[in-house]
Amino acid sequence: MKKLAILGSTGSIGHSTLSICESFPDRYQVISLAAGQNVEAAFAQCVRWRPKVISIATEELGAHLQSRLKAAGITGIEVVHGTSGTIRVATLPEVDFVVSAIVGVAGLEATYAAVCAGKTIGLANKECLVAAGELIIAAAKEHNVALLPIDSEHNAVHQAMRGGTPAEVKQIWLTASGGPFRNTPLADFEHITPAQALKHPTWVMGQRITIDSATMMNKGFEVIEACRLFNLPPARVRTTIHPQSTVHSLVEFVDGSILAQISVTDMRLPILYALAYPERVAVAEKDNLTFDLATLSQLDFSQPDLTRFPCLRLAYEAAEAGGKAPIALNAADEIAVAAFLNPDPAKSIPFMGIPRTIEDVLIETSGPRPATIQQVLEADLAARECAREVIARQFTGTFRNR
Protein backbone atom coordinates (compact mmCIF):
# COMPACT_ATOMS: atom_id res chain seq x y z
CA MET A 1 0.00 0.00 0.00
CA LYS A 2 1.54 3.28 -1.15
CA LYS A 3 0.40 6.37 0.73
CA LEU A 4 -0.06 9.38 -1.51
CA ALA A 5 0.05 13.14 -1.33
CA ILE A 6 -1.43 14.77 -4.44
CA LEU A 7 -0.36 18.33 -5.17
CA GLY A 8 -2.90 19.75 -7.61
CA SER A 9 -5.66 17.31 -6.72
CA THR A 10 -8.44 19.28 -8.45
CA GLY A 11 -6.62 19.51 -11.81
CA SER A 12 -6.64 16.98 -14.64
CA ILE A 13 -3.61 15.03 -13.34
CA GLY A 14 -5.10 15.06 -9.84
CA HIS A 15 -8.40 13.67 -11.10
CA SER A 16 -6.61 10.98 -13.13
CA THR A 17 -4.51 10.01 -10.10
CA LEU A 18 -7.62 9.68 -7.95
CA SER A 19 -9.16 7.55 -10.71
CA ILE A 20 -6.18 5.20 -10.38
CA CYS A 21 -6.72 5.12 -6.61
CA GLU A 22 -10.35 4.23 -7.28
CA SER A 23 -9.32 1.34 -9.53
CA PHE A 24 -6.64 0.02 -7.16
CA PRO A 25 -7.88 0.66 -3.59
CA ASP A 26 -5.69 -2.15 -2.25
CA ARG A 27 -2.53 -0.49 -3.62
CA TYR A 28 -2.93 3.27 -3.17
CA GLN A 29 -4.24 5.28 -0.22
CA VAL A 30 -4.84 9.04 -0.32
CA ILE A 31 -3.26 10.70 2.72
CA SER A 32 -3.18 14.39 1.82
CA LEU A 33 -4.32 16.76 -0.93
CA ALA A 34 -3.43 20.25 -2.15
CA ALA A 35 -6.45 21.65 -3.94
CA GLY A 36 -5.73 25.26 -4.92
CA GLN A 37 -8.74 27.58 -5.13
CA ASN A 38 -11.51 25.15 -6.08
CA VAL A 39 -13.41 24.81 -2.79
CA GLU A 40 -16.29 22.83 -4.33
CA ALA A 41 -13.97 20.20 -5.77
CA ALA A 42 -11.89 20.18 -2.58
CA PHE A 43 -15.01 19.56 -0.50
CA ALA A 44 -16.12 16.73 -2.79
CA GLN A 45 -12.66 15.14 -2.51
CA CYS A 46 -12.78 15.41 1.27
CA VAL A 47 -16.16 13.65 1.29
CA ARG A 48 -14.89 10.84 -0.96
CA TRP A 49 -11.29 10.37 0.21
CA ARG A 50 -11.21 11.65 3.81
CA PRO A 51 -7.58 12.87 3.65
CA LYS A 52 -5.76 13.61 6.89
CA VAL A 53 -4.71 17.03 5.60
CA ILE A 54 -5.96 19.22 2.75
CA SER A 55 -4.43 22.51 1.66
CA ILE A 56 -6.34 25.31 -0.03
CA ALA A 57 -4.95 28.48 -1.61
CA THR A 58 -5.86 31.13 0.98
CA GLU A 59 -6.85 31.42 4.62
CA GLU A 60 -10.29 32.72 3.60
CA LEU A 61 -10.95 29.76 1.32
CA GLY A 62 -9.66 27.45 4.05
CA ALA A 63 -12.19 28.86 6.53
CA HIS A 64 -14.94 28.37 3.94
CA LEU A 65 -13.93 24.76 3.37
CA GLN A 66 -13.71 24.15 7.12
CA SER A 67 -17.26 25.44 7.61
CA ARG A 68 -18.54 23.26 4.75
CA LEU A 69 -16.94 20.20 6.32
CA LYS A 70 -18.36 21.06 9.75
CA ALA A 71 -21.85 21.55 8.33
CA ALA A 72 -21.59 18.14 6.65
CA GLY A 73 -20.51 16.50 9.91
CA ILE A 74 -17.09 15.57 8.52
CA THR A 75 -14.34 15.65 11.13
CA GLY A 76 -10.71 14.61 11.40
CA ILE A 77 -9.49 16.55 8.35
CA GLU A 78 -6.90 19.25 8.98
CA VAL A 79 -7.39 22.24 6.66
CA VAL A 80 -4.26 24.29 5.94
CA HIS A 81 -3.53 26.98 3.37
CA GLY A 82 -0.94 28.72 1.22
CA THR A 83 2.58 27.62 0.41
CA SER A 84 3.21 26.40 3.95
CA GLY A 85 0.06 24.32 3.73
CA THR A 86 1.15 22.72 0.46
CA ILE A 87 4.55 21.94 1.98
CA ARG A 88 2.81 20.29 4.94
CA VAL A 89 0.71 18.16 2.56
CA ALA A 90 3.87 17.06 0.73
CA THR A 91 5.98 16.26 3.79
CA LEU A 92 3.64 14.42 6.15
CA PRO A 93 5.61 11.57 7.76
CA GLU A 94 3.13 8.89 6.64
CA VAL A 95 3.28 9.96 2.96
CA ASP A 96 5.74 7.97 0.85
CA PHE A 97 4.80 9.09 -2.69
CA VAL A 98 4.09 12.66 -3.80
CA VAL A 99 2.34 13.44 -7.09
CA SER A 100 3.55 16.91 -8.08
CA ALA A 101 0.93 18.31 -10.46
CA ILE A 102 0.49 21.98 -9.51
CA VAL A 103 0.84 24.08 -12.67
CA GLY A 104 3.68 26.61 -12.79
CA VAL A 105 6.23 27.39 -10.08
CA ALA A 106 3.51 27.44 -7.41
CA GLY A 107 4.35 23.83 -6.57
CA LEU A 108 8.12 24.29 -6.61
CA GLU A 109 8.74 24.81 -2.88
CA ALA A 110 6.52 21.89 -1.86
CA THR A 111 8.12 19.57 -4.42
CA TYR A 112 11.62 20.51 -3.28
CA ALA A 113 10.60 20.04 0.37
CA ALA A 114 9.19 16.60 -0.46
CA VAL A 115 12.46 15.60 -2.14
CA CYS A 116 14.43 16.78 0.90
CA ALA A 117 12.04 14.79 3.11
CA GLY A 118 12.92 11.62 1.17
CA LYS A 119 9.60 11.15 -0.63
CA THR A 120 9.39 9.44 -4.01
CA ILE A 121 8.15 12.00 -6.55
CA GLY A 122 5.77 11.44 -9.44
CA LEU A 123 6.59 14.56 -11.46
CA ALA A 124 3.83 16.00 -13.64
CA ASN A 125 4.91 19.61 -13.11
CA LYS A 126 7.54 20.32 -15.76
CA GLU A 127 8.07 23.89 -14.54
CA CYS A 128 9.81 22.57 -11.41
CA LEU A 129 12.63 21.07 -13.46
CA VAL A 130 12.67 23.92 -15.97
CA ALA A 131 13.10 26.56 -13.26
CA ALA A 132 15.01 24.64 -10.59
CA GLY A 133 16.16 21.42 -12.21
CA GLU A 134 19.76 21.51 -10.97
CA LEU A 135 18.65 22.07 -7.37
CA ILE A 136 15.96 19.37 -7.45
CA ILE A 137 18.20 16.80 -9.16
CA ALA A 138 21.01 17.49 -6.68
CA ALA A 139 18.61 17.14 -3.73
CA ALA A 140 17.21 13.90 -5.17
CA LYS A 141 20.72 12.45 -5.40
CA GLU A 142 21.58 13.62 -1.88
CA HIS A 143 18.44 12.08 -0.36
CA ASN A 144 18.37 9.01 -2.64
CA VAL A 145 14.95 9.98 -4.01
CA ALA A 146 13.47 8.64 -7.25
CA LEU A 147 12.04 11.27 -9.63
CA LEU A 148 9.52 9.40 -11.78
CA PRO A 149 8.14 11.39 -14.73
CA ILE A 150 4.39 11.46 -15.27
CA ASP A 151 4.52 13.64 -18.39
CA SER A 152 3.66 11.15 -21.14
CA GLU A 153 6.82 11.87 -23.19
CA HIS A 154 9.30 11.60 -20.34
CA ASN A 155 7.45 8.65 -18.93
CA ALA A 156 7.85 6.96 -22.32
CA VAL A 157 11.59 7.74 -22.33
CA HIS A 158 11.90 6.33 -18.81
CA GLN A 159 10.23 3.12 -19.94
CA ALA A 160 12.31 2.78 -23.12
CA MET A 161 15.56 3.48 -21.26
CA ARG A 162 15.01 0.30 -19.29
CA GLY A 163 16.16 -1.43 -22.49
CA GLY A 164 19.77 -0.32 -22.04
CA THR A 165 22.21 1.60 -19.87
CA PRO A 166 22.54 5.42 -19.90
CA ALA A 167 25.96 5.08 -21.56
CA GLU A 168 24.33 3.17 -24.44
CA VAL A 169 21.86 5.99 -25.26
CA LYS A 170 22.77 8.00 -28.37
CA GLN A 171 19.83 10.41 -28.23
CA ILE A 172 16.16 10.59 -27.35
CA TRP A 173 13.21 11.76 -29.42
CA LEU A 174 10.25 13.57 -27.88
CA THR A 175 7.15 13.39 -30.03
CA ALA A 176 4.74 16.29 -30.46
CA SER A 177 1.30 16.33 -32.03
CA GLY A 178 2.11 19.68 -33.64
CA GLY A 179 -1.01 21.15 -32.06
CA PRO A 180 -3.88 22.66 -34.03
CA PHE A 181 -1.65 24.80 -36.27
CA ARG A 182 0.90 22.41 -37.73
CA ASN A 183 -0.62 22.92 -41.21
CA THR A 184 -1.81 26.51 -40.81
CA PRO A 185 -0.18 28.97 -43.25
CA LEU A 186 2.43 31.05 -41.44
CA ALA A 187 0.79 34.26 -42.67
CA ASP A 188 -2.32 33.36 -40.61
CA PHE A 189 -0.47 33.00 -37.30
CA GLU A 190 -0.87 36.67 -36.34
CA HIS A 191 -4.65 36.26 -36.54
CA ILE A 192 -5.01 33.07 -34.47
CA THR A 193 -7.62 33.53 -31.75
CA PRO A 194 -7.70 32.03 -28.23
CA ALA A 195 -10.73 29.94 -29.20
CA GLN A 196 -8.75 28.37 -32.06
CA ALA A 197 -5.62 27.86 -29.96
CA LEU A 198 -7.57 26.12 -27.18
CA LYS A 199 -8.76 23.33 -29.54
CA HIS A 200 -6.03 20.72 -29.14
CA PRO A 201 -6.40 17.84 -31.64
CA THR A 202 -5.42 15.07 -29.21
CA TRP A 203 -5.37 15.97 -25.52
CA VAL A 204 -7.86 17.64 -23.17
CA MET A 205 -5.79 19.82 -20.85
CA GLY A 206 -5.78 23.07 -18.90
CA GLN A 207 -5.69 26.42 -20.71
CA ARG A 208 -2.03 27.29 -20.30
CA ILE A 209 -0.67 23.91 -21.33
CA THR A 210 -3.05 23.85 -24.31
CA ILE A 211 -1.74 27.22 -25.53
CA ASP A 212 1.82 26.03 -24.84
CA SER A 213 1.10 23.02 -27.03
CA ALA A 214 -0.18 25.29 -29.80
CA THR A 215 3.06 27.34 -29.69
CA MET A 216 5.17 24.21 -29.03
CA MET A 217 6.58 25.89 -25.93
CA ASN A 218 5.30 22.88 -24.04
CA LYS A 219 7.68 20.74 -26.10
CA GLY A 220 10.45 23.22 -25.39
CA PHE A 221 9.89 22.86 -21.66
CA GLU A 222 9.97 19.10 -22.13
CA VAL A 223 13.36 19.36 -23.85
CA ILE A 224 14.78 21.18 -20.81
CA GLU A 225 13.09 18.73 -18.44
CA ALA A 226 14.51 15.78 -20.39
CA CYS A 227 18.03 17.24 -20.30
CA ARG A 228 17.82 17.32 -16.52
CA LEU A 229 15.96 14.08 -15.87
CA PHE A 230 18.16 11.99 -18.15
CA ASN A 231 21.42 13.98 -17.87
CA LEU A 232 21.66 14.74 -21.60
CA PRO A 233 22.79 17.89 -23.45
CA PRO A 234 20.14 19.69 -25.57
CA ALA A 235 21.73 18.42 -28.81
CA ARG A 236 20.87 14.84 -27.79
CA VAL A 237 17.22 15.64 -27.00
CA ARG A 238 15.44 15.77 -30.36
CA THR A 239 11.83 16.62 -31.20
CA THR A 240 9.62 15.26 -33.96
CA ILE A 241 6.07 16.05 -35.09
CA HIS A 242 3.90 12.95 -34.77
CA PRO A 243 0.23 13.88 -35.35
CA GLN A 244 -1.18 10.49 -34.29
CA SER A 245 0.24 10.90 -30.73
CA THR A 246 0.56 7.12 -30.61
CA VAL A 247 4.33 6.92 -30.12
CA HIS A 248 4.95 8.96 -27.00
CA SER A 249 8.75 9.07 -27.26
CA LEU A 250 11.68 7.10 -28.66
CA VAL A 251 15.14 6.24 -27.35
CA GLU A 252 17.90 5.69 -29.92
CA PHE A 253 20.83 3.55 -28.76
CA VAL A 254 24.42 3.62 -29.97
CA ASP A 255 24.00 0.37 -31.92
CA GLY A 256 21.27 1.90 -34.10
CA SER A 257 18.33 0.33 -32.27
CA ILE A 258 15.36 2.56 -31.46
CA LEU A 259 12.87 1.67 -28.75
CA ALA A 260 9.49 3.41 -28.91
CA GLN A 261 6.76 3.44 -26.28
CA ILE A 262 3.23 3.10 -27.67
CA SER A 263 0.00 3.35 -25.70
CA VAL A 264 -3.42 4.94 -25.62
CA THR A 265 -3.50 8.71 -25.11
CA ASP A 266 -4.68 8.55 -21.52
CA MET A 267 -2.76 10.13 -18.64
CA ARG A 268 -3.84 7.37 -16.28
CA LEU A 269 -1.30 5.07 -17.92
CA PRO A 270 1.87 7.11 -17.17
CA ILE A 271 0.49 7.89 -13.71
CA LEU A 272 -0.02 4.18 -13.01
CA TYR A 273 3.47 3.41 -14.34
CA ALA A 274 5.01 5.93 -11.95
CA LEU A 275 2.94 4.81 -8.98
CA ALA A 276 3.70 1.13 -9.57
CA TYR A 277 7.39 1.46 -10.51
CA PRO A 278 9.46 -0.71 -10.60
CA GLU A 279 6.55 -3.13 -10.97
CA ARG A 280 3.87 -3.16 -13.64
CA VAL A 281 0.25 -3.52 -12.61
CA ALA A 282 -2.32 -5.39 -14.69
CA VAL A 283 -5.23 -3.22 -15.78
CA ALA A 284 -8.81 -4.40 -16.20
CA GLU A 285 -10.67 -4.30 -19.51
CA LYS A 286 -13.11 -1.78 -18.03
CA ASP A 287 -10.26 0.71 -17.50
CA ASN A 288 -9.91 1.14 -21.30
CA LEU A 289 -6.13 1.43 -21.14
CA THR A 290 -5.26 -1.31 -23.62
CA PHE A 291 -4.05 -0.31 -27.08
CA ASP A 292 -5.72 -1.70 -30.19
CA LEU A 293 -2.94 -2.53 -32.65
CA ALA A 294 -5.49 -2.62 -35.47
CA THR A 295 -5.70 1.18 -35.23
CA LEU A 296 -1.96 1.47 -35.96
CA SER A 297 -2.42 1.92 -39.69
CA GLN A 298 -0.24 5.01 -40.17
CA LEU A 299 2.60 6.69 -38.30
CA ASP A 300 3.85 10.06 -39.52
CA PHE A 301 6.99 11.84 -38.32
CA SER A 302 8.40 15.19 -39.47
CA GLN A 303 10.82 17.85 -38.32
CA PRO A 304 9.26 20.84 -36.52
CA ASP A 305 9.50 24.17 -38.37
CA LEU A 306 11.22 26.60 -36.01
CA THR A 307 9.98 29.56 -38.10
CA ARG A 308 6.43 28.44 -37.43
CA PHE A 309 7.20 27.56 -33.81
CA PRO A 310 9.83 30.04 -32.54
CA CYS A 311 9.03 29.11 -28.92
CA LEU A 312 10.71 25.75 -29.48
CA ARG A 313 13.84 27.52 -30.77
CA LEU A 314 13.83 29.82 -27.73
CA ALA A 315 13.62 26.81 -25.40
CA TYR A 316 16.65 25.13 -27.01
CA GLU A 317 18.56 28.42 -26.71
CA ALA A 318 17.60 28.76 -23.03
CA ALA A 319 18.65 25.15 -22.38
CA GLU A 320 22.07 25.86 -23.92
CA ALA A 321 22.46 29.19 -22.08
CA GLY A 322 21.51 27.82 -18.65
CA GLY A 323 21.75 30.18 -15.67
CA LYS A 324 18.56 32.17 -15.28
CA ALA A 325 17.45 31.69 -18.89
CA PRO A 326 15.16 28.66 -18.32
CA ILE A 327 13.54 30.46 -15.36
CA ALA A 328 12.91 33.54 -17.52
CA LEU A 329 11.61 31.36 -20.36
CA ASN A 330 8.95 29.78 -18.14
CA ALA A 331 7.99 32.99 -16.33
CA ALA A 332 7.73 35.08 -19.50
CA ASP A 333 5.68 32.39 -21.21
CA GLU A 334 3.17 32.26 -18.36
CA ILE A 335 2.69 36.04 -18.46
CA ALA A 336 2.51 36.13 -22.27
CA VAL A 337 -0.03 33.29 -22.47
CA ALA A 338 -2.21 35.05 -19.88
CA ALA A 339 -2.00 38.24 -21.97
CA PHE A 340 -2.97 36.33 -25.12
CA LEU A 341 -6.02 34.89 -23.32
CA ASN A 342 -7.00 38.25 -21.78
CA PRO A 343 -10.52 39.11 -23.00
CA ASP A 344 -9.77 42.86 -22.82
CA PRO A 345 -8.37 43.90 -26.23
CA ALA A 346 -6.48 46.78 -24.61
CA LYS A 347 -4.51 44.33 -22.46
CA SER A 348 -4.10 41.45 -24.88
CA ILE A 349 -1.42 40.41 -27.33
CA PRO A 350 -1.62 38.43 -30.60
CA PHE A 351 -0.62 34.79 -30.83
CA MET A 352 2.83 35.59 -32.21
CA GLY A 353 3.21 38.16 -29.46
CA ILE A 354 3.88 35.22 -27.13
CA PRO A 355 7.29 34.30 -28.61
CA ARG A 356 8.16 37.98 -29.19
CA THR A 357 7.57 38.73 -25.52
CA ILE A 358 9.60 35.72 -24.38
CA GLU A 359 12.52 36.58 -26.68
CA ASP A 360 12.67 40.16 -25.39
CA VAL A 361 12.66 38.93 -21.79
CA LEU A 362 15.45 36.44 -22.53
CA ILE A 363 17.53 39.22 -24.10
CA GLU A 364 17.14 41.27 -20.90
CA THR A 365 17.92 38.30 -18.59
CA SER A 366 21.42 37.65 -17.30
CA GLY A 367 23.16 36.43 -14.20
CA PRO A 368 24.50 33.22 -12.68
CA ARG A 369 22.49 30.09 -11.95
CA PRO A 370 20.50 30.48 -8.69
CA ALA A 371 21.98 28.55 -5.77
CA THR A 372 18.79 28.28 -3.68
CA ILE A 373 15.06 27.85 -4.23
CA GLN A 374 14.56 31.39 -2.88
CA GLN A 375 16.89 32.74 -5.56
CA VAL A 376 14.94 30.78 -8.19
CA LEU A 377 11.69 32.38 -7.01
CA GLU A 378 13.30 35.83 -7.02
CA ALA A 379 14.52 35.31 -10.59
CA ASP A 380 11.05 34.10 -11.53
CA LEU A 381 9.41 37.24 -10.11
CA ALA A 382 11.93 39.48 -11.87
CA ALA A 383 11.28 37.77 -15.22
CA ARG A 384 7.52 38.11 -14.76
CA GLU A 385 7.85 41.83 -14.08
CA CYS A 386 10.10 42.16 -17.12
CA ALA A 387 7.49 40.35 -19.25
CA ARG A 388 4.76 42.71 -18.05
CA GLU A 389 6.93 45.69 -18.96
CA VAL A 390 7.63 44.22 -22.41
CA ILE A 391 3.91 43.68 -23.01
CA ALA A 392 3.04 47.18 -21.82
CA ARG A 393 5.76 48.64 -24.02
CA GLN A 394 5.09 46.71 -27.19
CA PHE A 395 1.66 45.16 -27.30
CA THR A 396 -0.88 47.22 -25.32
CA GLY A 397 -3.86 48.03 -27.46
CA THR A 398 -2.98 45.58 -30.21
CA PHE A 399 -6.18 44.67 -32.05
CA ARG A 400 -7.03 41.01 -32.15
CA ASN A 401 -10.05 39.25 -33.62
CA ARG A 402 -11.82 36.82 -31.35
Side-chain angles (χ1 to χ4, degrees), residues 387-400:
R388 293 186 187 99
E389 291 173 1
V390 167
I391 289 169
R393 191 165 66 232
Q394 297 188 25
F395 298 118
T396 298
T398 300
F399 177 75
R400 182 187 67 215

Side-chain angles (χ1 to χ4, degrees), residues 49-393:
W49 296 101
R50 304 298 171 102
K52 293 187 176 183
V53 180
I54 186 165
S55 180
I56 206 84
T58 66
E59 186 175 6
E60 182 182 358
L61 292 173
H64 180 42
L65 176 59
Q66 189 76 67
S67 65
R68 288 284 305 275
L69 293 171
K70 185 177 181 180
I74 297 173
T75 60
I77 298 176
E78 180 185 356
V79 178
V80 294
H81 68 273
T83 300
S84 61
T86 308
I87 291 173
R88 174 155 171 73
V89 163
T91 57
L92 284 174
E94 50 265 68
V95 166
D96 49 39
F97 193 108
V98 176
V99 175
S100 175
I102 296 176
V103 175
V105 296
L108 174 56
E109 289 177 275
T111 302
Y112 184 74
V115 171
C116 292
K119 314 296 186 185
T120 300
I121 308 294
L123 199 59
N125 173 329
K126 59 179 63 65
E127 293 87 356
C128 282
L129 287 188
V130 170
E134 293 96 339
L135 295 175
I136 290 174
I137 296 295
K141 289 179 179 177
E142 180 183 348
H143 297 282
N144 196 28
V145 164
L147 297 176
L148 300 170
I150 286 176
D151 238 359
S152 61
E153 293 81 2
H154 302 89
N155 186 275
V157 171
H158 193 278
Q159 294 193 49
M161 276 191 164
R162 294 169 80 172
T165 67
E168 293 170 337
V169 174
K170 179 181 178 181
Q171 59 189 353
I172 64 176
W173 295 84
L174 305 179
T175 59
S177 70
F181 308 125
R182 65 177 179 270
N183 297 318
T184 301
L186 192 57
D188 294 343
F189 270 52
E190 288 288 351
H191 310 292
I192 288 170
T193 68
Q196 292 171 324
L198 288 169
K199 291 181 180 176
H200 194 277
T202 307
W203 300 95
V204 177
M205 304 174 290
Q207 283 199 335
R208 184 194 172 189
I209 192 172
T210 302
I211 300 301
D212 282 347
S213 293
T215 65
M216 285 198 71
M217 179 56 89
N218 188 52
K219 202 55 50 182
F221 289 148
E222 290 174 5
V223 168
I224 298 173
E225 184 181 3
C227 290
R228 290 168 172 174
L229 271 175
F230 305 115
N231 193 28
L232 293 169
R236 290 171 61 193
V237 180
R238 309 289 296 279
T239 56
T240 180
I241 302 289
H242 172 51
Q244 291 84 8
S245 297
T246 299
V247 177
H248 298 297
S249 280
L250 309 95
V251 174
E252 183 177 348
F253 292 92
V254 291
D255 63 356
S257 297
I258 297 178
L259 297 187
Q261 192 268 340
I262 297 173
S263 66
V264 293
T265 53
D266 189 315
M267 287 307 298
R268 289 177 299 161
L269 198 147
I271 293 168
L272 178 60
Y273 171 85
L275 289 175
Y277 183 82
E279 301 175 66
R280 288 189 184 269
V281 176
V283 295
E285 200 67 37
K286 64 180 177 62
D287 292 321
N288 296 317
L289 289 175
T290 51
F291 186 83
D292 181 6
L293 280 175
T295 65
L296 202 64
S297 58
Q298 182 174 338
L299 296 175
D300 296 306
F301 298 94
S302 62
Q303 286 290 99
D305 180 354
L306 298 186
T307 304
R308 183 184 297 270
F309 299 111
C311 283
L312 183 58
R313 169 181 60 82
L314 293 171
Y316 270 103
E317 291 174 0
E320 288 284 1
K324 293 180 181 177
I327 302 170
L329 181 85
N330 173 67
D333 176 70
E334 188 167 330
I335 297 300
V337 168
F340 171 66
L341 293 173
N342 195 319
D344 183 352
K347 297 179 181 178
S348 63
I349 63 175
F351 185 73
M352 293 304 285
I354 297 173
R356 286 196 290 263
T357 299
I358 296 165
E359 187 152 26
D360 281 358
V361 172
L362 287 173
I363 290 170
E364 296 184 30
T365 297
S366 62
R369 178 185 297 122
T372 66
I373 292 295
Q374 185 57 42
Q375 289 178 7
V376 169
L377 295 174
E378 289 169 2
D380 174 79
L381 288 174
R384 289 170 189 272
E385 185 56 36
C386 182
R388 293 186 187 99
E389 291 173 1
V390 167
I391 289 169
R393 191 165 66 232

